[in-house]
């Protein structure tokens, strides 16, 4: 974790106090909340229409990210210990979501049906644009306390997952098989679990430092 009093020349910052009072950061969070919740609602419908587990998993990620980013926005004015505890909740939520997606993917593997590859790929491309915009908006705030880092990781991982969804749609079209779709759903779940570990580790370290300082 970077020194909380340092700022990089590119405008990146590790100063959580600046993040708390910086109007630009608040605007960035509101943009991400609206993009994630709005598109997540659309993508979950598209996932059911296309019968794609990867799209459904990605939609859950959008909705979860939007909700948790909103919590991050509200938490900016709270005490450091409270923010770290909220980051712990974010990590636990993400871990639960990842395990749930893996479980559903295994269940669907028993009766796997190839999804609509064209619809799956089209929605994946739109999702990539949305997540790319979110990641760009948040990029200069990606270094900071656990709560700030959690928000950045959510948007970054969404963009990576969308690339995998698009690739899976191409493989579904080529093979007429559900396995690329199920595999990507599992990959998205793995991203959930990796981010959850990073967030939980950072939050626990911050709580430990706060306890030592008190």
């Amino acid at each position: 974790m970077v020194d909380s009093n340092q700022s990089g020349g590119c405008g990146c910052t590790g100063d959580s106090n600046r993040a708390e009072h910086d109007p630009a950061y608040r605007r960035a969070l509101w943009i991400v909340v609206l993009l994630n919740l709005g598109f997540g609602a659309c993508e979950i419908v598209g996932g059911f229409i296309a019968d794609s587990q990867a799209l459904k998993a990605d939609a859950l990620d959008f909705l979860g990210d939007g909700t948790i980013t909103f919590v991050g926005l509200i938490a900016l004015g709270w005490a450091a210990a409270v923010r770290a505890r909220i980051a712990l909740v974010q990590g636990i939520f993400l871990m639960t979501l990842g395990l749930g997606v893996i479980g559903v993917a295994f269940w669907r593997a028993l009766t796997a049906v190839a999804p609509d590859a064209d619809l799956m790929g089209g929605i994946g491309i739109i999702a990539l644009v949305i997540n790319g915009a979110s990641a760009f908006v948040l990029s200069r705030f990606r270094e900071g306390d656990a709560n700030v880092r959690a928000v950045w990781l959510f948007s970054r991982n969404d963009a990576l997952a969308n690339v995998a969804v698009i690739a899976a749609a191409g493989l579904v079209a080529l093979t007429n098989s559900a396995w690329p779709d199920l595999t990507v759903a599992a990959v998205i779940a793995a991203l959930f679990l990796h981010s959850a570990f990073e967030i939980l580790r950072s939050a626990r370290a911050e709580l430990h430092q706060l306890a030592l300082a008190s």
Side-chain angles (χ1 to χ4, degrees), residues 203-214:
R204 285 170 60 88
E206 287 177 20
L207 288 172
H208 179 68
Q209 291 174 0
L210 288 170
L212 292 177
S214 62

Side-chain angles (χ1 to χ4, degrees), residues 121-214:
I123 294 175
I125 292 172
I126 297 172
L128 178 60
V129 172
I130 296 294
N131 275 319
S134 296
F136 176 77
V137 166
L138 290 172
S139 61
R140 71 189 181 101
F141 302 105
R142 66 184 178 273
E143 297 297 341
D145 67 11
N147 194 64
V148 173
R149 182 165 174 77
V151 175
W152 157 251
L153 283 172
F154 289 148
S155 292
R156 185 205 65 182
N157 287 353
D158 282 352
L160 294 175
N162 295 147
V163 173
V165 169
I166 295 168
L171 290 174
V172 168
L174 288 174
T175 64
N176 195 32
S177 168
W179 286 106
D181 179 55
L182 296 175
T183 300
V184 167
V187 169
I188 293 174
L191 286 173
F192 292 169
L193 297 177
H194 180 267
S195 290
F197 173 78
E198 289 294 318
I199 293 165
L200 290 172
R201 182 177 61 82
S202 295
R204 285 170 60 88
E206 287 177 20
L207 288 172
H208 179 68
Q209 291 174 0
L210 288 170
L212 292 177
S214 62

Side-chain angles (χ1 to χ4, degrees), residues 11 13 25-26 29 42 45 61 65 70-71 77 84 89 94 99-100 104-105 112 115 124 153 155 199 204 208 213:
T13 178
Y25 185 60
R26 289 182 179 273
L29 288 175
C42 296
V45 174
D61 194 19
D65 290 359
F70 175 73
V71 174
V89 173
L94 200 59
L99 292 174
V104 171
L153 283 172
S155 292
I199 293 165
R204 285 170 60 88
H208 179 68

Side-chain angles (χ1 to χ4, degrees), residues 61-83:
D61 194 19
F62 267 104
L63 294 172
D65 290 359
T67 302
I68 291 180
T69 302
F70 175 73
V71 174
L73 175 61
I74 299 301
L76 281 177
W78 296 352
V82 176
R83 289 165 58 83

Side-chain angles (χ1 to χ4, degrees), residues 53 99-110 179 181-183 185-186:
Q53 299 310 304
L99 292 174
V101 170
I102 289 175
V104 171
F106 275 118
W107 175 72
R108 284 303 302 269
L110 300 176
W179 286 106
D181 179 55
L182 296 175
T183 300

Side-chain angles (χ1 to χ4, degrees), residues 2-93:
V2 299
D3 188 332
S4 63
N5 294 318
Q6 291 178 345
S7 295
C10 64
C12 302
T13 178
D15 188 344
S16 61
N17 289 324
R18 175 187 168 187
E20 179 180 343
H21 300 292
D22 187 354
Y25 185 60
R26 289 182 179 273
R27 285 195 297 271
L29 288 175
W30 276 115
I31 291 170
V32 171
V33 167
L34 294 174
L35 288 175
N36 277 272
L37 293 180
F39 186 76
C42 296
E43 190 177 24
I44 193 70
V45 174
F48 278 102
I49 294 174
D51 197 21
S52 167
Q53 299 310 304
L55 285 181
K56 293 174 186 176
D58 196 45
L60 288 177
D61 194 19
F62 267 104
L63 294 172
D65 290 359
T67 302
I68 291 180
T69 302
F70 175 73
V71 174
L73 175 61
I74 299 301
L76 281 177
W78 296 352
V82 176
R83 289 165 58 83
R85 292 189 182 97
I86 288 175
L88 280 175
V89 173
Q90 290 174 325
I92 293 170
F93 173 84

